[in-house]
Amino acid sequence: MSDKPSVLFVCVHNAGRSQMAAGWLRHLAGDTVEVRSAGSAPADAINPAAVQAMREVGIDITDQGPKLLEYVTAESSDVIVTMGCGDACPVFPGKRYEDWKLDDPAGQGVEVVRGIRDEIRTRVQALLTDLIPVA
């Protein structure tokens, strides 16, 4: 078992919010946190507006495809951040859960997605500070 914390970001399609959050955490935490993302009903591809919005801040999320939320992935994560997946998200005793109320970028233009991206960054920074306090 790894001594670094693992964070799982979950949304319905694993194509926008959870992918942007995972991208931010990978970017900000480097290899100090294990980053995972999944969806309760994964899309076929990542939202192009999310890809563009993240690319604008120097983060490439095109190598991350939408994945189905699997029981073992959730069970083995230290922190589970949900973003509108509702009852499809499993609950495990002893896990830390956060439910982030964020607008869904599906069907939105990049102008709207930029605001969601920036809100996600703020939340990811706060989560990271809590997980790995600065000495």
Side-chain angles (χ1 to χ4, degrees):
M1 176 172 281
S2 174
D3 58 350
K4 62 182 171 181
S6 60
V7 177
L8 172 62
F9 295 103
V10 183
C11 66
V12 175
H13 299 298
N14 190 222
R17 294 168 289 190
S18 57
Q19 292 288 358
M20 288 191 290
W24 274 122
L25 188 54
R26 282 186 194 96
H27 177 76
L28 296 169
D31 64 356
T32 63
V33 176
E34 183 178 350
V35 182
R36 306 165 174 176
S37 71
S40 54
D44 293 328
I46 296 179
N47 180 330
V51 169
Q52 181 180 344
M54 294 300 285
R55 186 176 289 133
E56 290 174 357
V57 294
I59 301 172
D60 182 5
I61 60 172
T62 58
D63 64 338
Q64 303 296 315
K67 294 173 275 312
L68 180 64
L69 175 62
E70 295 183 0
Y71 183 91
V72 68
T73 304
E75 184 179 39
S76 63
S77 297
D78 298 311
V79 179
I80 300 174
V81 178
T82 58
M83 305 173 193
C85 67
D87 295 337
C89 294
V91 175
F92 297 96
K95 300 289 177 192
R96 174 178 167 181
Y97 286 89
E98 292 191 17
D99 185 37
W100 294 356
K101 305 288 188 214
L102 297 162
D103 291 336
D104 189 345
Q108 301 292 331
V110 72
E111 302 79 21
V112 172
V113 176
R114 284 181 188 121
I116 299 168
R117 172 201 67 199
D118 295 344
E119 183 175 350
I120 290 172
R121 179 186 175 131
T122 300
R123 291 173 186 240
V124 166
Q125 285 176 310
L127 175 64
L128 182 58
T129 299
D130 193 45
L131 288 175
I132 303 175
V134 177

